Amino acid sequence: VQLAESGGGSVQPGGSLRLSCTVSGLTFSRYAMTWYRQAPGKERELVALITNDGGSTKYADSAKGRFTISRDNAKNTVYLHLNSLKPEDTAVYHCNPVGFPQSWGQGTPVTVSL
């Protein structure tokens, strides 16, 4: 399984970003997908999950109302829309297919600061 995250960057508080993750090596439409993040010195945190058909989503409390997970099964891609960003959202963001705990890409860094 290969995972390629992109879309991170540096933004000011209140800003927005759209993260993308393109997946290969599995039948993408069969698997729920997740986004995790890991801030410096902290453990990896589950941010959002989307079912294989996109019909259901779940979010960490820290993400509710600000982040939106979506997917395009035709493009083997999952997205994470980040809105109203806060400094505490600073982290490296990773996508991961449910059931593949050893499959991780490089991640995409998000920095929120003035």
Side-chain angles (χ1 to χ4, degrees):
V1 178
Q2 290 78 47
L3 306 161
E5 300 97 340
S6 63
S10 296
V11 297
Q12 294 185 346
S16 299
L17 288 170
R18 188 186 78 160
L19 309 183
S20 301
C21 171
T22 301
V23 182
S24 59
L26 54 72
T27 304
F28 181 73
S29 61
R30 292 183 179 177
Y31 295 93
M33 290 294 301
T34 58
W35 280 96
Y36 284 80
R37 67 184 182 186
Q38 188 164 20
K42 294 187 177 181
E43 293 187 354
R44 188 177 292 159
E45 173 191 19
L46 175 63
V47 176
L49 177 147
I50 187 167
T51 53
N52 66 312
D53 63 355
S56 183
T57 57
K58 293 184 178 181
Y59 297 92
D61 287 344
S62 58
K64 287 179 182 177
R66 299 188 301 124
F67 296 178
T68 303
I69 189 171
S70 62
R71 66 189 294 159
D72 185 338
N73 284 350
K75 296 182 178 179
N76 284 12
T77 300
V78 60
Y79 304 96
L80 187 66
H81 300 254
L82 312 176
N83 296 310
S84 302
L85 282 162
K86 305 175 181 179
E88 51 263 45
D89 296 319
T90 295
V92 178
Y93 286 71
H94 298 265
C95 66
N96 177 258
V98 175
F100 293 84
Q102 303 302 319
S103 297
W104 298 95
Q106 294 296 312
T108 186
V110 172
T111 302
V112 185
S113 64
L114 292 171

